[in-house]
Amino acid sequence: MPRINLPIDKDWAWGGASGAGVTVAVVDSGIDAAHPAVGRVDRAVRWRWDADRAEAVSAEGAHEDLFGHGTACAGIIRRAAPDVTLWSVRVLGSRLTGKGAVFAAGLRWAIGQGAQVVNLSLSTSREDYAELFHDIADEAAFAGVVLVCATNNVPAPTYPAQFSSVISVAAHDGQDPFALDANPAPPADFGAPGIDVEVPWLSGGSIVATGNSFAAPHVTGLVARLLSKHPELTPYEVKTVLRAVASNAVVRGGPP
């Protein structure tokens, strides 16, 4: 087992890294690959519910963003980790809604196809999906895939953000993309910029938006930078490193 060389700080974690060599899947409403803030999308797949077959079906190939949300997340990730390989996994429609079974199928596809990090700025509050997403979150952790999930914008359990095997993120104030706060009382693990942040949107434009959805991709970008420099880290070790470099972390018995 490789030993993590101490001390762990931000420079050790991702100094000089750009996300190169790391594949990030954005499971969302699609990605506008023509947006200048997004850049290249190396792989894209659309998932939908087939009522006749009563199952989720997919079609691989370039596609548009049906809402703007996925493009926003992809742009934030690209800003933090400019050299990542981006995949678009579309599971949401033009009203930013979708079926839990389609969400699960798209997430399982990303894990099975070899994504190293998956950005989930979506979740489900339906209890009947809790067991399914718990199983998928475990599958990801055992496969070495890091799931970064936005928590619900209202105080209520959502899945898979609720599970300890994922990195769950809520929004905090500020614009510094490297400012990360650790939450001492999960299930929200970290706080990242997500209040009044400028994000790319449809038609090559941008908007100012607020939400945990936009905090999660900040952390996804940092995880991609971390893994591009330290590819041997497991998902559990990634979370430990993030807690060690959090802006509010202090040395026990000593100064910050």
Side-chain angles (χ1 to χ4, degrees):
M1 292 293 294
R3 182 181 183 277
I4 295 177
N5 294 319
L6 301 177
I8 298 174
D9 57 19
K10 289 181 180 179
D11 185 61
W12 178 91
W14 50 65
S18 63
V22 176
T23 297
V24 176
V26 179
V27 179
D28 214 290
S29 61
I31 299 176
D32 178 6
H35 198 294
V38 170
R40 178 171 172 169
V41 175
D42 285 83
R43 200 169 179 188
V45 62
R46 309 180 300 280
W47 285 87
R48 65 176 181 84
W49 184 253
D50 187 316
D52 293 331
R53 296 165 58 178
E55 64 180 9
V57 297
S58 67
E60 191 157 355
H63 56 246
E64 73 276 24
D65 183 344
L66 297 177
F67 191 89
H69 194 264
T71 298
C73 294
I76 293 169
I77 294 166
R78 183 71 76 186
R79 191 183 306 160
D83 293 326
V84 295
T85 297
L86 279 178
W87 291 357
S88 176
V89 183
R90 195 173 78 189
V91 299
L92 298 177
S94 59
R95 297 168 63 184
L96 207 63
T97 58
K99 292 183 70 69
V102 174
F103 174 19
L107 176 52
R108 269 200 163 125
W109 179 91
I111 295 166
Q113 291 295 307
Q116 292 152 281
V117 190
V118 182
N119 189 82
L120 301 170
S121 288
L122 72 167
S123 59
T124 177
S125 58
R126 285 182 52 176
E127 290 285 345
D128 52 331
Y129 280 111
E131 183 176 356
L132 171 62
F133 280 101
H134 188 277
D135 289 345
I136 297 174
D138 278 353
E139 290 170 17
F142 297 147
V145 181
V146 180
L147 303 186
V148 181
C149 190
T151 61
N152 201 337
N153 286 323
V154 297
T158 53
Y159 312 102
Q162 201 74 9
F163 305 132
S164 61
S165 54
V166 311
I167 295 173
S168 56
V169 187
H172 70 195
D173 203 0
Q175 302 294 321
D176 181 357
F178 297 99
L180 182 73
D181 288 329
N183 182 13
D189 293 305
F190 299 100
I195 299 174
D196 294 332
V197 292
E198 185 173 357
V199 298
W201 209 251
L202 297 181
S203 303
S206 64
I207 63 171
V208 174
T210 293
N212 296 337
S213 286
F214 309 116
H218 278 94
V219 176
T220 297
L222 296 181
V223 170
R225 288 175 69 110
L226 174 62
L227 289 177
S228 70
K229 190 172 181 180
H230 304 284
E232 74 282 358
L233 295 179
T234 69
Y236 303 102
E237 291 168 335
V238 166
K239 186 182 286 193
T240 299
V241 171
L242 292 180
R243 290 187 72 85
V245 302
S247 300
N248 60 334
V250 297
V251 177
R252 289 181 180 176

